[in-house]
mmCIF file of all heavy atoms in Angstrom:
data_model
loop_
_atom_site.group_PDB
_atom_site.id
_atom_site.type_symbol
_atom_site.label_atom_id
_atom_site.label_comp_id
_atom_site.label_asym_id
_atom_site.label_seq_id
_atom_site.Cartn_x
_atom_site.Cartn_y
_atom_site.Cartn_z
ATOM 1 N N PRO A 61 -12.466 0.555 -7.530
ATOM 2 C CA PRO A 61 -12.041 0.822 -8.912
ATOM 3 C C PRO A 61 -10.874 1.757 -9.018
ATOM 4 O O PRO A 61 -10.488 2.440 -8.066
ATOM 5 C CB PRO A 61 -13.307 1.482 -9.530
ATOM 6 C CG PRO A 61 -14.002 2.093 -8.392
ATOM 7 C CD PRO A 61 -13.802 1.218 -7.214
ATOM 8 N N GLY A 62 -10.264 1.785 -10.143
ATOM 9 C CA GLY A 62 -9.098 2.633 -10.430
ATOM 10 C C GLY A 62 -7.828 1.825 -10.732
ATOM 11 O O GLY A 62 -6.958 2.290 -11.446
ATOM 12 N N TRP A 63 -7.766 0.657 -10.143
ATOM 13 C CA TRP A 63 -6.589 -0.159 -10.377
ATOM 14 C C TRP A 63 -6.426 -0.654 -11.865
ATOM 15 O O TRP A 63 -5.271 -0.831 -12.321
ATOM 16 C CB TRP A 63 -6.601 -1.397 -9.480
ATOM 17 C CG TRP A 63 -7.677 -2.388 -9.724
ATOM 18 C CD1 TRP A 63 -8.935 -2.331 -9.246
ATOM 19 C CD2 TRP A 63 -7.555 -3.508 -10.554
ATOM 20 N NE1 TRP A 63 -9.694 -3.400 -9.733
ATOM 21 C CE2 TRP A 63 -8.869 -4.126 -10.553
ATOM 22 C CE3 TRP A 63 -6.556 -4.081 -11.358
ATOM 23 C CZ2 TRP A 63 -9.183 -5.295 -11.275
ATOM 24 C CZ3 TRP A 63 -6.884 -5.207 -12.124
ATOM 25 C CH2 TRP A 63 -8.130 -5.853 -12.021
ATOM 26 N N GLU A 64 -7.510 -0.711 -12.512
ATOM 27 C CA GLU A 64 -7.474 -1.186 -13.922
ATOM 28 C C GLU A 64 -6.598 -0.262 -14.791
ATOM 29 O O GLU A 64 -5.941 -0.716 -15.732
ATOM 30 C CB GLU A 64 -8.877 -1.258 -14.508
ATOM 31 C CG GLU A 64 -9.857 -2.131 -13.729
ATOM 32 C CD GLU A 64 -10.647 -1.376 -12.637
ATOM 33 O OE1 GLU A 64 -10.166 -0.257 -12.248
ATOM 34 O OE2 GLU A 64 -11.664 -1.888 -12.233
ATOM 35 N N GLY A 65 -6.596 1.031 -14.447
ATOM 36 C CA GLY A 65 -5.808 2.018 -15.212
ATOM 37 C C GLY A 65 -4.294 1.812 -15.029
ATOM 38 O O GLY A 65 -3.562 2.450 -15.813
ATOM 39 N N LEU A 66 -3.869 0.988 -14.086
ATOM 40 C CA LEU A 66 -2.458 0.804 -13.966
ATOM 41 C C LEU A 66 -1.811 0.038 -15.040
ATOM 42 O O LEU A 66 -0.595 0.068 -15.225
ATOM 43 C CB LEU A 66 -2.215 0.044 -12.596
ATOM 44 C CG LEU A 66 -2.725 0.765 -11.335
ATOM 45 C CD1 LEU A 66 -2.585 -0.131 -10.153
ATOM 46 C CD2 LEU A 66 -1.909 2.043 -11.095
ATOM 47 N N GLU A 67 -2.596 -0.596 -15.904
ATOM 48 C CA GLU A 67 -2.050 -1.334 -17.049
ATOM 49 C C GLU A 67 -1.377 -0.388 -18.030
ATOM 50 O O GLU A 67 -0.660 -0.822 -18.900
ATOM 51 C CB GLU A 67 -3.106 -2.195 -17.704
ATOM 52 C CG GLU A 67 -3.578 -3.367 -16.851
ATOM 53 C CD GLU A 67 -4.439 -4.335 -17.610
ATOM 54 O OE1 GLU A 67 -4.622 -4.173 -18.820
ATOM 55 O OE2 GLU A 67 -4.977 -5.252 -16.965
ATOM 56 N N ARG A 68 -1.662 0.915 -17.899
ATOM 57 C CA ARG A 68 -1.048 1.884 -18.796
ATOM 58 C C ARG A 68 0.515 1.903 -18.672
ATOM 59 O O ARG A 68 1.183 2.430 -19.558
ATOM 60 C CB ARG A 68 -1.564 3.288 -18.510
ATOM 61 C CG ARG A 68 -0.947 3.958 -17.255
ATOM 62 C CD ARG A 68 -1.565 5.256 -16.963
ATOM 63 N NE ARG A 68 -2.930 5.186 -16.377
ATOM 64 C CZ ARG A 68 -3.576 6.220 -15.896
ATOM 65 N NH1 ARG A 68 -3.064 7.439 -15.920
ATOM 66 N NH2 ARG A 68 -4.829 6.011 -15.464
ATOM 67 N N TYR A 69 0.996 1.329 -17.549
ATOM 68 C CA TYR A 69 2.454 1.367 -17.329
ATOM 69 C C TYR A 69 3.152 0.100 -17.915
ATOM 70 O O TYR A 69 4.345 -0.075 -17.631
ATOM 71 C CB TYR A 69 2.691 1.503 -15.824
ATOM 72 C CG TYR A 69 2.119 2.769 -15.244
ATOM 73 C CD1 TYR A 69 1.055 2.738 -14.381
ATOM 74 C CD2 TYR A 69 2.581 4.006 -15.720
ATOM 75 C CE1 TYR A 69 0.487 3.902 -13.968
ATOM 76 C CE2 TYR A 69 2.058 5.211 -15.200
ATOM 77 C CZ TYR A 69 0.945 5.124 -14.330
ATOM 78 O OH TYR A 69 0.371 6.280 -13.849
ATOM 79 N N ALA A 70 2.430 -0.685 -18.637
ATOM 80 C CA ALA A 70 3.064 -1.873 -19.306
ATOM 81 C C ALA A 70 4.147 -1.364 -20.250
ATOM 82 O O ALA A 70 3.983 -0.368 -20.980
ATOM 83 C CB ALA A 70 2.026 -2.627 -20.093
ATOM 84 N N GLY A 71 5.293 -2.008 -20.188
ATOM 85 C CA GLY A 71 6.424 -1.571 -20.994
ATOM 86 C C GLY A 71 7.468 -0.789 -20.172
ATOM 87 O O GLY A 71 8.653 -0.661 -20.695
ATOM 88 N N ILE A 72 7.128 -0.323 -19.079
ATOM 89 C CA ILE A 72 8.068 0.343 -18.146
ATOM 90 C C ILE A 72 8.682 -0.708 -17.253
ATOM 91 O O ILE A 72 7.934 -1.644 -16.736
ATOM 92 C CB ILE A 72 7.329 1.426 -17.318
ATOM 93 C CG1 ILE A 72 6.843 2.534 -18.249
ATOM 94 C CG2 ILE A 72 8.269 2.032 -16.260
ATOM 95 C CD1 ILE A 72 5.909 3.501 -17.588
ATOM 96 N N PRO A 73 9.962 -0.669 -16.929
ATOM 97 C CA PRO A 73 10.502 -1.674 -15.996
ATOM 98 C C PRO A 73 9.724 -1.786 -14.694
ATOM 99 O O PRO A 73 9.521 -0.789 -14.033
ATOM 100 C CB PRO A 73 11.950 -1.132 -15.757
ATOM 101 C CG PRO A 73 12.295 -0.341 -16.988
ATOM 102 C CD PRO A 73 10.967 0.262 -17.401
ATOM 103 N N ALA A 74 9.235 -2.975 -14.431
ATOM 104 C CA ALA A 74 8.339 -3.184 -13.262
ATOM 105 C C ALA A 74 8.852 -4.349 -12.395
ATOM 106 O O ALA A 74 9.414 -5.342 -12.898
ATOM 107 C CB ALA A 74 6.930 -3.501 -13.778
ATOM 108 N N THR A 75 8.635 -4.143 -11.117
ATOM 109 C CA THR A 75 9.008 -5.176 -10.111
ATOM 110 C C THR A 75 7.783 -5.433 -9.282
ATOM 111 O O THR A 75 7.041 -4.531 -8.939
ATOM 112 C CB THR A 75 10.089 -4.661 -9.241
ATOM 113 O OG1 THR A 75 11.226 -4.291 -10.113
ATOM 114 C CG2 THR A 75 10.538 -5.678 -8.192
ATOM 115 N N VAL A 76 7.562 -6.690 -8.940
ATOM 116 C CA VAL A 76 6.454 -7.067 -8.015
ATOM 117 C C VAL A 76 7.062 -7.711 -6.781
ATOM 118 O O VAL A 76 8.062 -8.490 -6.867
ATOM 119 C CB VAL A 76 5.433 -7.999 -8.694
ATOM 120 C CG1 VAL A 76 6.025 -9.292 -9.153
ATOM 121 C CG2 VAL A 76 4.232 -8.222 -7.799
ATOM 122 N N THR A 77 6.501 -7.405 -5.639
ATOM 123 C CA THR A 77 7.041 -7.982 -4.386
ATOM 124 C C THR A 77 5.978 -8.134 -3.305
ATOM 125 O O THR A 77 4.836 -7.638 -3.533
ATOM 126 C CB THR A 77 8.202 -7.135 -3.899
ATOM 127 O OG1 THR A 77 8.959 -7.857 -2.951
ATOM 128 C CG2 THR A 77 7.737 -5.808 -3.300
ATOM 129 N N LEU A 78 6.313 -8.718 -2.258
ATOM 130 C CA LEU A 78 5.330 -9.012 -1.181
ATOM 131 C C LEU A 78 5.131 -7.869 -0.243
ATOM 132 O O LEU A 78 4.000 -7.610 0.202
ATOM 133 C CB LEU A 78 5.923 -10.236 -0.377
ATOM 134 C CG LEU A 78 4.953 -10.972 0.557
ATOM 135 C CD1 LEU A 78 3.855 -11.672 -0.222
ATOM 136 C CD2 LEU A 78 5.751 -11.974 1.377
ATOM 137 N N THR A 79 6.186 -7.123 0.133
ATOM 138 C CA THR A 79 6.105 -6.150 1.149
ATOM 139 C C THR A 79 6.937 -4.920 0.775
ATOM 140 O O THR A 79 7.922 -5.041 0.080
ATOM 141 C CB THR A 79 6.582 -6.705 2.475
ATOM 142 O OG1 THR A 79 6.802 -5.614 3.403
ATOM 143 C CG2 THR A 79 7.868 -7.445 2.358
ATOM 144 N N HIS A 80 6.525 -3.738 1.303
ATOM 145 C CA HIS A 80 7.259 -2.544 1.040
ATOM 146 C C HIS A 80 8.630 -2.565 1.770
ATOM 147 O O HIS A 80 9.442 -1.684 1.426
ATOM 148 C CB HIS A 80 6.453 -1.310 1.489
ATOM 149 C CG HIS A 80 5.975 -0.563 0.281
ATOM 150 N ND1 HIS A 80 4.713 -0.064 0.180
ATOM 151 C CD2 HIS A 80 6.556 -0.089 -0.838
ATOM 152 C CE1 HIS A 80 4.498 0.593 -0.956
ATOM 153 N NE2 HIS A 80 5.669 0.545 -1.574
ATOM 154 N N ALA A 81 8.885 -3.452 2.623
ATOM 155 C CA ALA A 81 10.224 -3.548 3.239
ATOM 156 C C ALA A 81 11.208 -3.909 2.128
ATOM 157 O O ALA A 81 12.408 -3.641 2.309
ATOM 158 C CB ALA A 81 10.214 -4.614 4.341
ATOM 159 N N ASP A 82 10.751 -4.494 1.078
ATOM 160 C CA ASP A 82 11.642 -4.811 -0.076
ATOM 161 C C ASP A 82 11.966 -3.627 -0.954
ATOM 162 O O ASP A 82 12.757 -3.730 -1.965
ATOM 163 C CB ASP A 82 10.976 -5.898 -0.972
ATOM 164 C CG ASP A 82 10.831 -7.216 -0.274
ATOM 165 O OD1 ASP A 82 11.584 -7.501 0.644
ATOM 166 O OD2 ASP A 82 9.909 -8.004 -0.670
ATOM 167 N N ALA A 83 11.361 -2.486 -0.680
ATOM 168 C CA ALA A 83 11.552 -1.297 -1.523
ATOM 169 C C ALA A 83 12.983 -0.847 -1.516
ATOM 170 O O ALA A 83 13.426 -0.177 -2.400
ATOM 171 C CB ALA A 83 10.610 -0.151 -1.052
ATOM 172 N N TRP A 84 13.739 -1.197 -0.487
ATOM 173 C CA TRP A 84 15.141 -0.752 -0.347
ATOM 174 C C TRP A 84 15.984 -1.166 -1.540
ATOM 175 O O TRP A 84 16.726 -0.387 -2.095
ATOM 176 C CB TRP A 84 15.732 -1.291 0.980
ATOM 177 C CG TRP A 84 16.781 -0.359 1.521
ATOM 178 C CD1 TRP A 84 18.089 -0.701 1.748
ATOM 179 C CD2 TRP A 84 16.590 0.964 2.031
ATOM 180 N NE1 TRP A 84 18.708 0.413 2.323
ATOM 181 C CE2 TRP A 84 17.826 1.394 2.512
ATOM 182 C CE3 TRP A 84 15.473 1.819 2.128
ATOM 183 C CZ2 TRP A 84 18.052 2.646 3.066
ATOM 184 C CZ3 TRP A 84 15.658 3.075 2.712
ATOM 185 C CH2 TRP A 84 16.925 3.506 3.153
ATOM 186 N N ALA A 85 15.857 -2.442 -1.924
ATOM 187 C CA ALA A 85 16.614 -2.959 -3.040
ATOM 188 C C ALA A 85 16.181 -2.223 -4.355
ATOM 189 O O ALA A 85 17.016 -1.992 -5.229
ATOM 190 C CB ALA A 85 16.417 -4.467 -3.225
ATOM 191 N N TRP A 86 14.914 -1.995 -4.455
ATOM 192 C CA TRP A 86 14.381 -1.244 -5.638
ATOM 193 C C TRP A 86 14.917 0.167 -5.735
ATOM 194 O O TRP A 86 15.391 0.614 -6.767
ATOM 195 C CB TRP A 86 12.862 -1.284 -5.564
ATOM 196 C CG TRP A 86 12.128 -0.614 -6.710
ATOM 197 C CD1 TRP A 86 12.126 -0.964 -8.027
ATOM 198 C CD2 TRP A 86 11.268 0.535 -6.584
ATOM 199 N NE1 TRP A 86 11.236 -0.164 -8.705
ATOM 200 C CE2 TRP A 86 10.787 0.783 -7.893
ATOM 201 C CE3 TRP A 86 10.904 1.363 -5.571
ATOM 202 C CZ2 TRP A 86 9.880 1.810 -8.151
ATOM 203 C CZ3 TRP A 86 10.017 2.461 -5.830
ATOM 204 C CH2 TRP A 86 9.524 2.624 -7.098
ATOM 205 N N LEU A 87 14.941 0.849 -4.577
ATOM 206 C CA LEU A 87 15.452 2.202 -4.577
ATOM 207 C C LEU A 87 16.907 2.261 -4.901
ATOM 208 O O LEU A 87 17.428 3.196 -5.517
ATOM 209 C CB LEU A 87 15.210 2.809 -3.177
ATOM 210 C CG LEU A 87 13.779 3.140 -2.777
ATOM 211 C CD1 LEU A 87 13.768 3.577 -1.359
ATOM 212 C CD2 LEU A 87 13.150 4.169 -3.712
ATOM 213 N N GLU A 88 17.669 1.230 -4.457
ATOM 214 C CA GLU A 88 19.143 1.229 -4.713
ATOM 215 C C GLU A 88 19.424 1.142 -6.220
ATOM 216 O O GLU A 88 20.488 1.601 -6.678
ATOM 217 C CB GLU A 88 19.789 0.042 -3.998
ATOM 218 C CG GLU A 88 19.875 0.235 -2.518
ATOM 219 C CD GLU A 88 20.544 -0.969 -1.839
ATOM 220 O OE1 GLU A 88 20.463 -2.071 -2.362
ATOM 221 O OE2 GLU A 88 21.091 -0.766 -0.734
#
Side-chain angles (χ1 to χ4, degrees):
W63 64 274
E64 303 90 341
L66 298 173
E67 292 190 6
R68 76 183 75 174
Y69 301 111
I72 296 170
T75 302
V76 62
T77 196
L78 193 67
T79 167
H80 252 133
D82 294 335
W84 210 244
W86 181 65
L87 291 173
E88 286 179 335

